[in-house]
Amino acid sequence: MRIFQLLVYKLLARAIDTVNRYFDVRRLHYVREVLEINIGILVHQINECSSKTMAKRKAIYAFRPFEVCDVDYRSNTSNLSSRLGSGRNFPKARSGHRIVCSDSSMYCFGGFNPNNSLARDGNNDQREDMYLFQELWKYDMIRKEWTLLLDSNNDLPAELASNAMLLCGETIMVFGGTGYPFGVNCSNRLHVCLPRRRPKDLLEVEVKGDPPPPQYGQAIVINDNFLYTIGGTNGFEYTLDVHRLHLPSKTWECVYECNQNIREDPSGRYRHELAHDDSKIYVIGGGTSDAVFILSNIPVYDMKANKWECLVTKPDPLANLPGIPTARKCHSCVQIRTEQGLEVIVAGGYDGVNYFNDIWKLNLSTMQWKKMQKSQLPYPLFFHDAAVTSDGCMHVFGGIRYNNNTNVRTDTLYRMWTTIPRLSVIAFEALLHYIPSLPSRTKEDLLEAGIPRQFVDRVHE
């Protein structure tokens, strides 16, 4: 029965794709996204029920590094009860959102979906104020549960797409972003939230000094008590200027204004990503409305010398020529520390024409690219986001999925081990696999059972 239902869904999806090539029917775009979600659920259920091999893999824990896995949070019984109660059991499909994570929780802020207004008001009116998601979600990695922390009933900013976001200790920081239509209302405000404290609010930080202009698609990092923001756009002009906020005094300053007329400064861009070490910030990709930037040369800002330089990267000799990821924007990027030093994981993205599902690793010490041959996203994906735990487990959520010549926004969550973690981390993963009820036990019971405190704290964050 499920196989027949899956066949019907796929035929309907193919028919809708055909119609959408010739007619732009907003209602059909929404129906197509609903079908895509249901197809994913059915495929997962069929694989679980019909495959003995999958059943054995489910029964016996196996650590599979570098493999991109679909996280099935929808079948969680607590999520189901939440759905029956409020209808808000997990985030809807979206793009342009941002995520960050700790070792036990992931947080998702904002996002955009032009079909969202149809889902909420049930008519064909173009409710542009509903295209954006005014909400902050938390995903519990241990229990596989979503919780809505803040929504439109709270005092959240109206700029909810292409923000910059990071997690500093227990503090979520959200900077910049745009409302809809994109570029009409941009932000240069910094908001913070302490999700583990009550009451939960996203509060604007009062600042002084010389702030950056209101923009979206910028990227931020924290280094040595400074919050650096680099690049972005107002929808017309693209910059790669460097501003920083001194966090103790909450004072902004512009430390470098790019001027290609008098210097060989890098080009302005948006939807790039940043990596950093103790002294340098690396700009990974990005683009403009009609251009993307190559990854064979990486613009690098030297925080101590206050200057830009361009570093040439080395191709992967084992990958197909040119051995370097294709120029792209709207990709994801996370940074991990391994025995080989700091490494950056780049996944997905697009160049305005082509869509990517490949995953690459760049070593910041050697500037050597390596294509992760065992790793790739199931579909080309862009305008998604990714975050990584301190142990190296990367989570990828949402975005626009390219399939059968059709772009569909998704609410799929993937996870991938980007490196081999400590044995204790693998053992704790196995323990959760074999004892699903473990998170329901008290902290005292877990400690008495001999589980290390660092993992008990993850269960009871």
Side-chain angles (χ1 to χ4, degrees):
M1 182 64 184
R2 283 176 176 166
I3 295 177
F4 176 75
Q5 189 177 3
L6 177 63
L7 179 62
V8 171
Y9 281 172
K10 287 193 171 183
L11 287 173
L12 280 174
R14 185 63 61 88
I16 290 173
D17 290 343
T18 302
V19 173
N20 281 337
R21 289 194 190 100
Y22 301 98
F23 307 98
D24 186 16
V25 182
R26 185 173 295 277
R27 172 69 65 177
L28 287 182
H29 285 293
Y30 169 65
V31 173
R32 180 65 176 84
E33 287 190 357
V34 173
L35 278 174
E36 194 68 32
I37 292 171
N38 287 328
I39 287 172
I41 294 173
L42 276 175
V43 168
H44 183 85
Q45 291 173 343
I46 291 170
N47 287 339
E48 275 198 334
C49 296
S50 63
S51 174
K52 292 182 179 180
T53 302
M54 287 297 292
K56 289 180 180 178
R57 289 176 67 182
K58 184 74 175 176
I60 302 174
Y61 174 78
F63 176 71
R64 293 187 291 274
F66 315 118
E67 180 180 319
V68 179
C69 303
D70 186 342
V71 179
D72 180 30
Y73 58 79
R74 298 181 188 88
S75 64
N76 188 296
T77 54
S78 59
N79 274 340
L80 180 61
S81 62
S82 172
R83 178 179 182 178
L84 295 174
S86 67
R88 298 182 64 79
N89 52 320
F90 45 77
K92 295 178 181 179
R94 65 193 61 204
S95 60
H97 54 289
R98 287 299 189 184
I99 67 171
V100 294
C101 75
S102 64
D103 286 334
S104 57
S105 299
M106 183 184 77
Y107 301 93
C108 175
F109 177 76
F112 169 79
N113 191 331
N115 299 320
N116 186 45
S117 61
L118 293 177
R120 290 168 65 176
D121 60 26
N123 58 52
N124 290 320
D125 294 338
Q126 294 189 15
R127 296 286 303 280
E128 293 184 354
D129 58 320
M130 292 186 177
Y131 290 178
L132 297 169
F133 293 97
Q134 198 171 29
E135 51 194 33
L136 175 66
W137 287 86
K138 172 187 174 182
Y139 176 70
D140 187 326
M141 300 177 189
I142 307 296
R143 297 169 179 82
K144 296 185 179 179
E145 295 175 7
W146 284 99
T147 303
L148 181 62
L149 300 181
L150 301 171
D151 61 12
S152 57
N153 295 316
N154 302 96
D155 187 17
L156 296 182
E159 299 82 17
L160 300 158
S162 291
N163 311 85
M165 185 176 178
L166 57 77
L167 183 65
C168 181
E170 296 182 2
T171 304
I172 295 173
M173 295 184 173
V174 179
F175 179 71
T178 178
Y180 187 85
F182 303 135
V184 173
N185 293 305
C186 299
S187 172
N188 62 352
R189 296 179 295 163
L190 175 66
H191 293 82
V192 297
C193 176
L194 293 168
R196 295 178 62 179
R197 297 187 185 179
R198 296 180 183 275
K200 296 179 178 65
D201 286 303
L202 191 67
L203 302 175
E204 182 178 353
V205 178
E206 295 185 4
V207 297
K208 54 188 176 182
D210 181 20
Q215 290 180 316
Y216 65 99
Q218 62 274 83
I220 58 176
V221 297
I222 284 183
N223 185 74
D224 194 24
N225 282 329
F226 284 99
L227 172 72
Y228 287 84
T229 175
I230 296 181
T233 182
N234 58 13
F236 302 97
E237 297 179 347
Y238 297 83
T239 74
L240 207 62
D241 299 339
V242 183
H243 292 75
R244 68 180 186 180
L245 175 69
H246 185 238
L247 294 173
S249 65
K250 300 180 178 61
T251 303
W252 278 108
E253 62 175 326
C254 177
V255 292
Y256 197 103
E257 186 172 354
C258 290
N259 190 335
Q260 292 180 304
N261 294 325
I262 61 176
R263 293 185 299 266
E264 294 185 0
D265 289 335
S267 300
R269 64 194 70 193
Y270 93 128
R271 293 300 308 201
H272 50 286
E273 300 292 335
L274 299 181
H276 72 102
D277 54 28
D278 292 336
S279 61
K280 296 180 179 179
I281 300 176
Y282 304 78
V283 180
I284 312 296
T288 65
S289 60
D290 57 2
V292 287
F293 294 100
I294 61 175
L295 294 169
S296 57
N297 297 300
I298 302 292
V300 178
Y301 173 70
D302 190 317
M303 291 178 279
K304 296 181 178 179
N306 190 27
K307 67 176 184 179
W308 283 98
E309 59 182 318
C310 187
L311 297 183
V312 178
T313 61
K314 302 173 185 176
D316 181 354
L318 301 179
N320 294 331
L321 293 175
I324 291 173
T326 308
R328 64 192 66 196
K329 59 185 175 182
C330 308
H331 49 289
S332 66
C333 176
V334 300
Q335 179 174 319
I336 60 174
R337 185 177 293 277
T338 68
E339 293 180 354
Q340 290 73 41
L342 289 174
E343 295 186 320
V344 173
I345 312 295
V346 175
Y350 86 127
D351 63 6
V353 177
N354 302 297
Y355 307 85
F356 307 113
N357 67 337
D358 51 353
I359 300 178
W360 293 76
K361 178 163 49 176
L362 175 67
N363 185 291
L364 296 183
S365 300
T366 63
M367 298 306 290
Q368 174 77 59
W369 281 107
K370 178 181 179 182
K371 186 173 185 181
M372 303 184 73
Q373 301 287 355
K374 295 182 179 180
S375 311
Q376 73 174 22
L377 298 168
Y379 297 91
L381 197 64
F382 62 105
F383 275 118
H384 57 288
D385 201 13
V388 68
T389 67
S390 64
D391 298 316
C393 185
M394 179 174 72
H395 290 74
V396 179
F397 178 68
I400 303 177
R401 166 175 153 172
Y402 181 76
N403 186 31
N404 293 328
N405 296 318
T406 302
N407 292 331
V408 178
R409 284 173 178 80
T410 178
D411 62 353
T412 303
L413 175 63
Y414 300 107
R415 73 194 295 258
M416 184 191 93
W417 284 101
T418 62
T419 187
I420 307 295
R422 293 165 294 143
L423 182 59
S424 60
V425 174
I426 300 175
F428 183 63
E429 287 255 314
L431 197 61
L432 290 171
H433 177 85
Y434 289 118
I435 312 177
S437 63
L438 187 144
S440 64
R441 303 186 182 183
T442 65
K443 180 180 289 190
E444 291 72 21
D445 288 342
L446 297 178
L447 290 171
E448 187 175 345
I451 298 176
R453 181 172 292 275
Q454 60 172 311
F455 298 113
V456 174
D457 290 340
R458 294 183 186 185
V459 176
H460 295 281
E461 184 182 48

